[in-house]
Amino acid sequence: MEHFSTKQAHEFLRATPSAVFIDCRSEMEYLFVGHPVGSTHVAWNDGPDWEINPHFVADVRRLAGFAGDRPALLICRSGSRSTAAGEALEAVDFTRVYNVLNGFEGDLYAGHRRNTLNGWRFEGLTWEQC
């Protein structure tokens, strides 16, 4: 798996229109916090039990047209869940998996807040809220 900064990920998407852009956060995060424009929601895990989605790989396969060589770019809040989700895709022979390191909201800073150091929103990249 290759890891991109948010700006590198944005450029990758521009240069690779065949890529599948997966936001793997919870449904509530995707809907109410916002999400990158052009992303498709497939939760890695979700409430109320926060169990790993047993359909995650199958859902991504369907989005990728069942092609494991189609680029898959993953984003979550801060890069942790998307890394685990990417590893699950690689385990089933996806060969072009990419992760957004700082995610949509970025790293926590000393005041326990996000969107102040890095991340998709912090960088001013295109996003929307439902």
Side-chain angles (χ1 to χ4, degrees):
M1 179 178 342
E2 193 169 340
H3 300 278
F4 291 148
S5 71
T6 50
K7 288 184 178 181
Q8 288 172 319
H10 190 261
E11 287 303 314
F12 174 79
L13 289 169
R14 280 185 172 170
T16 315
S18 64
V20 177
F21 187 19
I22 306 294
D23 187 323
C24 63
R25 294 174 300 151
S26 72
E27 183 178 21
M28 291 299 126
E29 288 171 297
Y30 184 82
L31 294 174
F32 297 112
V33 176
H35 53 270
V37 170
S39 66
T40 301
H41 180 248
V42 181
W44 170 244
N45 59 358
D46 212 338
D49 299 325
W50 298 101
E51 298 286 328
I52 292 174
N53 175 0
H55 307 289
F56 179 81
V57 170
D59 290 345
V60 174
R61 277 192 195 277
R62 207 170 7 268
L63 287 169
F66 294 93
D69 62 342
R70 186 170 176 194
L73 177 66
L74 301 161
I75 192 169
C76 66
R77 180 182 61 197
S78 61
S80 179
R81 283 176 281 180
S82 53
T83 297
E87 289 169 352
L89 293 176
E90 287 181 323
V92 295
D93 299 326
F94 272 76
T95 58
R96 298 174 65 195
V97 179
Y98 307 89
N99 175 52
V100 181
L101 277 175
N102 303 119
F104 186 70
E105 296 182 74
D107 296 322
L108 283 172
Y109 89 107
H112 297 286
R113 294 194 176 161
R114 296 188 188 276
N115 298 307
T116 57
L117 296 174
N118 51 34
W120 193 271
R121 283 192 345 181
F122 177 81
E123 297 292 344
L125 302 173
T126 56
W127 65 281
E128 61 191 355
Q129 196 169 15
C130 294

